[in-house]
Amino acid sequence: DQQVKQNSPSLSVQEGRISILNCDYTNSMFDYFLWYKKYPAEGPTFLISISSIKDKNEDGRFTVFLNKSAKHLSLHIVPSQPGDSAVYFCAARESGTYKYIFGTGTRLKVLA
Amino acid sequence: DSGVTQTPKHLITATGQRVTLRCSPRSGDLSVYWYQQSLDQGLQFLIQYYNGEERAKGNILERFSAQQFPDLHSELNLSSLELGDSALYFCASSVHGRGTATDTQYFGPGTRLTVL
Protein backbone atom coordinates (compact mmCIF):
# COMPACT_ATOMS: atom_id res chain seq x y z
CA ASP A 1 0.00 0.00 0.00
CA GLN A 2 1.67 3.15 -1.26
CA GLN A 3 1.02 5.87 1.33
CA VAL A 4 2.81 8.54 -0.70
CA LYS A 5 2.06 8.63 -4.40
CA GLN A 6 3.61 10.52 -7.25
CA ASN A 7 1.34 9.61 -10.10
CA SER A 8 3.34 11.28 -12.85
CA PRO A 9 6.51 9.33 -13.57
CA SER A 10 7.80 12.08 -15.85
CA LEU A 11 7.26 15.70 -16.80
CA SER A 12 8.75 17.88 -19.53
CA VAL A 13 8.73 21.67 -19.30
CA GLN A 14 10.22 24.46 -21.39
CA GLU A 15 12.98 26.51 -19.83
CA GLY A 16 11.59 29.61 -18.14
CA ARG A 17 8.14 28.12 -17.60
CA ILE A 18 6.66 26.77 -14.38
CA SER A 19 7.18 23.15 -13.35
CA ILE A 20 4.52 21.67 -11.08
CA LEU A 21 5.22 18.33 -9.44
CA ASN A 22 2.45 16.66 -7.50
CA CYS A 23 2.28 14.28 -4.59
CA ASP A 24 -0.71 12.67 -2.89
CA TYR A 25 -0.75 10.91 0.45
CA THR A 26 -3.21 8.77 2.33
CA ASN A 27 -2.02 8.86 5.94
CA SER A 28 -3.52 11.72 7.95
CA MET A 29 -0.85 11.13 10.62
CA PHE A 30 1.89 12.63 8.45
CA ASP A 31 3.08 15.88 10.04
CA TYR A 32 6.03 16.90 7.92
CA PHE A 33 6.68 16.79 4.20
CA LEU A 34 9.86 17.16 2.20
CA TRP A 35 11.00 17.30 -1.40
CA TYR A 36 14.29 15.83 -2.53
CA LYS A 37 16.06 16.14 -5.86
CA LYS A 38 18.17 13.35 -7.27
CA TYR A 39 20.68 13.45 -10.09
CA PRO A 40 21.93 10.22 -11.72
CA ALA A 41 24.64 8.38 -9.79
CA GLU A 42 24.11 10.59 -6.73
CA GLY A 43 22.06 10.32 -3.59
CA PRO A 44 18.98 12.51 -3.11
CA THR A 45 19.53 16.05 -1.84
CA PHE A 46 17.09 17.96 0.30
CA LEU A 47 15.24 20.74 -1.51
CA ILE A 48 12.43 22.17 0.58
CA SER A 49 10.02 21.10 3.31
CA ILE A 50 6.74 22.07 4.92
CA SER A 51 5.14 21.38 8.25
CA SER A 52 1.54 20.21 8.34
CA ILE A 53 0.56 23.39 10.19
CA LYS A 54 1.43 25.49 7.16
CA ASP A 55 0.01 25.59 3.65
CA LYS A 56 2.90 27.19 1.81
CA ASN A 57 6.65 27.47 2.06
CA GLU A 58 8.86 29.35 -0.36
CA ASP A 59 12.58 29.24 -0.98
CA GLY A 60 13.81 31.15 -3.97
CA ARG A 61 12.46 29.57 -7.14
CA PHE A 62 10.90 26.70 -5.19
CA THR A 63 7.52 26.78 -3.46
CA VAL A 64 5.75 23.90 -1.80
CA PHE A 65 2.00 23.99 -1.28
CA LEU A 66 0.14 21.72 1.11
CA ASN A 67 -3.60 21.04 0.91
CA LYS A 68 -4.36 18.96 3.97
CA SER A 69 -8.02 18.45 3.22
CA ALA A 70 -7.11 16.97 -0.17
CA LYS A 71 -4.01 15.23 1.21
CA HIS A 72 -2.06 16.76 -1.62
CA LEU A 73 1.16 18.66 -1.92
CA SER A 74 2.86 20.19 -4.88
CA LEU A 75 6.23 21.65 -5.72
CA HIS A 76 6.38 24.66 -8.01
CA ILE A 77 9.60 25.64 -9.70
CA VAL A 78 9.58 29.08 -11.32
CA PRO A 79 11.31 29.74 -13.62
CA SER A 80 12.45 26.26 -14.57
CA GLN A 81 16.07 25.88 -15.63
CA PRO A 82 17.84 23.05 -17.48
CA GLY A 83 19.84 22.32 -14.31
CA ASP A 84 16.56 21.46 -12.59
CA SER A 85 16.33 18.31 -14.73
CA ALA A 86 16.39 15.50 -12.17
CA VAL A 87 14.17 13.04 -10.38
CA TYR A 88 12.10 14.64 -7.61
CA PHE A 89 10.90 12.65 -4.62
CA CYS A 90 8.34 13.76 -2.10
CA ALA A 91 8.54 12.29 1.37
CA ALA A 92 6.37 12.38 4.47
CA ARG A 93 7.11 11.76 8.11
CA GLU A 94 4.77 9.90 10.41
CA SER A 95 3.87 12.03 13.42
CA GLY A 96 5.65 10.95 16.57
CA THR A 97 8.12 8.77 14.70
CA TYR A 98 11.30 9.15 12.74
CA LYS A 99 10.00 7.13 9.81
CA TYR A 100 9.99 8.71 6.38
CA ILE A 101 7.83 7.42 3.54
CA PHE A 102 8.97 8.33 0.04
CA GLY A 103 7.07 8.50 -3.21
CA THR A 104 8.32 6.78 -6.36
CA GLY A 105 9.63 9.99 -7.90
CA THR A 106 8.88 12.19 -10.91
CA ARG A 107 11.52 12.69 -13.58
CA LEU A 108 11.57 16.34 -14.61
CA LYS A 109 13.13 17.34 -17.89
CA VAL A 110 13.55 21.05 -18.55
CA LEU A 111 14.01 21.71 -22.24
CA ALA A 112 16.33 24.51 -23.33
CA ASP B 1 29.73 15.71 -2.22
CA SER B 2 27.38 15.20 0.74
CA GLY B 3 30.15 14.04 3.08
CA VAL B 4 28.47 10.65 3.52
CA THR B 5 30.52 7.79 2.16
CA GLN B 6 29.28 4.35 1.22
CA THR B 7 31.31 1.32 0.27
CA PRO B 8 31.38 -0.55 -1.95
CA LYS B 9 29.86 1.35 -4.87
CA HIS B 10 28.89 -1.83 -6.66
CA LEU B 11 28.45 -5.36 -5.43
CA ILE B 12 27.60 -8.43 -7.46
CA THR B 13 26.86 -11.65 -5.67
CA ALA B 14 24.85 -14.84 -5.93
CA THR B 15 21.60 -15.91 -4.36
CA GLY B 16 21.95 -17.31 -0.89
CA GLN B 17 25.04 -15.25 -0.10
CA ARG B 18 25.58 -12.64 2.58
CA VAL B 19 26.96 -9.14 2.09
CA THR B 20 27.80 -6.15 4.25
CA LEU B 21 27.32 -2.56 3.15
CA ARG B 22 29.18 0.16 4.96
CA CYS B 23 28.31 3.77 5.63
CA SER B 24 30.35 6.56 7.18
CA PRO B 25 28.22 9.55 8.19
CA ARG B 26 29.19 13.19 7.87
CA SER B 27 31.48 14.43 10.56
CA GLY B 28 29.37 15.42 13.57
CA ASP B 29 26.24 13.55 12.50
CA LEU B 30 24.95 11.16 15.15
CA SER B 31 22.17 9.53 13.17
CA VAL B 32 22.27 7.13 10.26
CA TYR B 33 19.38 5.99 8.08
CA TRP B 34 19.25 3.14 5.57
CA TYR B 35 17.00 3.07 2.50
CA GLN B 36 16.42 0.61 -0.32
CA GLN B 37 15.49 1.71 -3.82
CA SER B 38 14.37 -1.08 -6.13
CA LEU B 39 13.66 -0.59 -9.82
CA ASP B 40 10.78 1.89 -10.34
CA GLN B 41 10.24 2.12 -6.61
CA GLY B 42 10.63 4.99 -4.25
CA LEU B 43 13.07 4.90 -1.41
CA GLN B 44 11.92 2.38 1.16
CA PHE B 45 12.96 3.32 4.68
CA LEU B 46 14.67 0.39 6.35
CA ILE B 47 16.05 1.52 9.68
CA GLN B 48 17.47 4.47 11.62
CA TYR B 49 20.15 4.59 14.29
CA TYR B 50 20.97 7.42 16.62
CA ASN B 51 24.25 7.41 18.53
CA GLY B 52 24.52 3.65 18.39
CA GLU B 53 20.92 2.86 19.28
CA GLU B 54 18.13 1.76 16.97
CA ARG B 55 15.58 4.56 16.79
CA ALA B 56 13.09 3.66 14.06
CA LYS B 57 12.37 0.61 11.99
CA GLY B 58 10.68 0.47 8.63
CA ASN B 59 10.04 -2.38 6.24
CA ILE B 60 13.27 -4.18 6.96
CA LEU B 61 13.26 -7.90 6.29
CA GLU B 62 14.33 -10.31 9.00
CA ARG B 63 17.17 -11.43 6.71
CA PHE B 64 18.56 -7.89 6.97
CA SER B 65 20.21 -6.40 10.03
CA ALA B 66 22.12 -3.26 10.79
CA GLN B 67 24.19 -1.68 13.50
CA GLN B 68 25.90 1.58 14.30
CA PHE B 69 29.31 1.37 15.88
CA PRO B 70 30.90 3.61 18.55
CA ASP B 71 32.72 5.57 15.85
CA LEU B 72 29.23 6.17 14.35
CA HIS B 73 29.78 4.31 11.11
CA SER B 74 27.05 1.86 10.24
CA GLU B 75 26.82 -1.48 8.49
CA LEU B 76 23.84 -3.08 6.80
CA ASN B 77 24.03 -6.85 6.61
CA LEU B 78 21.96 -8.68 4.02
CA SER B 79 21.83 -12.45 4.22
CA SER B 80 20.26 -15.35 2.30
CA LEU B 81 20.13 -13.02 -0.65
CA GLU B 82 17.37 -13.34 -3.20
CA LEU B 83 17.07 -11.96 -6.73
CA GLY B 84 14.56 -9.40 -5.45
CA ASP B 85 17.14 -7.89 -3.12
CA SER B 86 18.88 -6.36 -6.12
CA ALA B 87 18.56 -2.63 -5.54
CA LEU B 88 20.32 0.60 -4.71
CA TYR B 89 20.94 0.92 -1.01
CA PHE B 90 21.32 4.45 0.31
CA CYS B 91 22.63 5.58 3.62
CA ALA B 92 21.84 9.05 4.96
CA SER B 93 22.97 10.89 8.05
CA SER B 94 21.81 13.85 10.08
CA VAL B 95 22.95 15.50 13.27
CA HIS B 96 20.06 14.75 15.59
CA GLY B 97 18.05 12.24 13.61
CA ARG B 98 15.01 14.43 13.09
CA GLY B 99 15.39 14.63 9.34
CA THR B 100 13.78 18.04 9.11
CA ALA B 101 14.81 21.18 7.24
CA THR B 102 16.94 22.24 10.20
CA ASP B 103 18.32 18.73 10.63
CA THR B 104 18.59 17.59 7.04
CA GLN B 105 19.26 14.04 5.96
CA TYR B 106 22.37 13.99 3.77
CA PHE B 107 22.47 11.01 1.46
CA GLY B 108 25.46 9.04 0.29
CA PRO B 109 25.88 8.01 -3.36
CA GLY B 110 24.48 4.54 -2.71
CA THR B 111 25.64 0.96 -3.13
CA ARG B 112 24.25 -0.90 -6.12
CA LEU B 113 23.68 -4.53 -5.22
CA THR B 114 23.11 -7.07 -7.96
CA VAL B 115 22.09 -10.58 -6.97
CA LEU B 116 22.50 -13.16 -9.73
Side-chain angles (χ1 to χ4, degrees):
Chain A
D1 176 31
Q2 194 74 19
Q3 296 186 65
V4 177
K5 298 177 188 177
Q6 293 178 258
N7 293 316
S8 299
S10 63
L11 175 69
S12 290
V13 171
Q14 284 294 133
E15 181 180 6
R17 305 295 291 269
I18 183 171
S19 294
I20 300 176
L21 296 98
N22 294 305
C23 181
D24 297 296
Y25 62 96
T26 57
N27 189 340
S28 56
M29 295 302 291
F30 290 146
D31 67 347
Y32 197 77
F33 303 88
L34 310 94
W35 284 94
Y36 285 83
K37 180 166 80 171
K38 184 183 180 304
Y39 292 118
E42 295 181 11
T45 55
F46 170 75
L47 195 55
I48 193 169
S49 65
I50 189 166
S51 164
S52 61
I53 61 173
K54 296 189 173 183
D55 55 18
K56 178 181 173 181
N57 187 28
E58 199 170 344
D59 184 2
R61 296 186 298 114
F62 302 92
T63 303
V64 56
F65 294 91
L66 175 62
N67 183 332
K68 282 185 68 178
S69 60
K71 293 191 176 69
H72 177 84
L73 71 158
S74 60
L75 174 68
H76 293 209
I77 306 174
V78 183
S80 301
Q81 299 173 353
D84 296 329
S85 297
V87 176
Y88 289 77
F89 291 97
C90 69
R93 183 182 70 182
E94 286 185 6
S95 174
T97 77
Y98 297 95
K99 291 171 62 172
Y100 287 84
I101 313 296
F102 279 72
T104 52
T106 296
R107 184 178 302 278
L108 173 66
K109 192 170 185 179
V110 180
L111 308 167
Chain B
D1 183 359
S2 67
V4 178
T5 58
Q6 290 187 247
T7 56
K9 275 191 174 176
H10 302 277
L11 196 49
I12 301 175
T13 188
T15 54
Q17 296 297 305
R18 173 189 165 97
V19 298
T20 297
L21 312 183
R22 183 187 167 106
C23 169
S24 293
R26 291 187 325 147
S27 176
D29 285 0
L30 299 175
S31 188
V32 169
Y33 313 70
W34 285 99
Y35 293 88
Q36 178 194 55
Q37 185 184 17
S38 303
L39 194 64
D40 294 333
Q41 297 289 315
L43 284 81
Q44 301 288 325
F45 170 71
L46 296 178
I47 198 162
Q48 183 200 9
Y49 282 85
Y50 177 76
N51 206 18
E53 299 289 325
E54 182 184 305
R55 175 179 264 186
K57 211 166 187 174
N59 299 325
I60 187 166
L61 299 172
E62 284 192 17
R63 300 184 286 109
F64 295 1
S65 64
Q67 54 183 322
Q68 186 180 28
F69 295 86
D71 68 351
L72 301 176
H73 91 272
S74 178
E75 292 181 356
L76 178 67
N77 300 296
L78 315 175
S79 60
S80 303
L81 284 168
E82 302 174 359
L83 295 177
D85 297 327
S86 295
L88 257 177
Y89 291 84
F90 287 103
C91 164
S93 74
S94 72
V95 179
H96 300 298
R98 289 191 289 268
T100 59
T102 54
D103 185 29
T104 306
Q105 289 187 53
Y106 290 87
F107 281 79
T111 292
R112 182 170 293 282
L113 173 66
T114 302
V115 182
L116 300 175

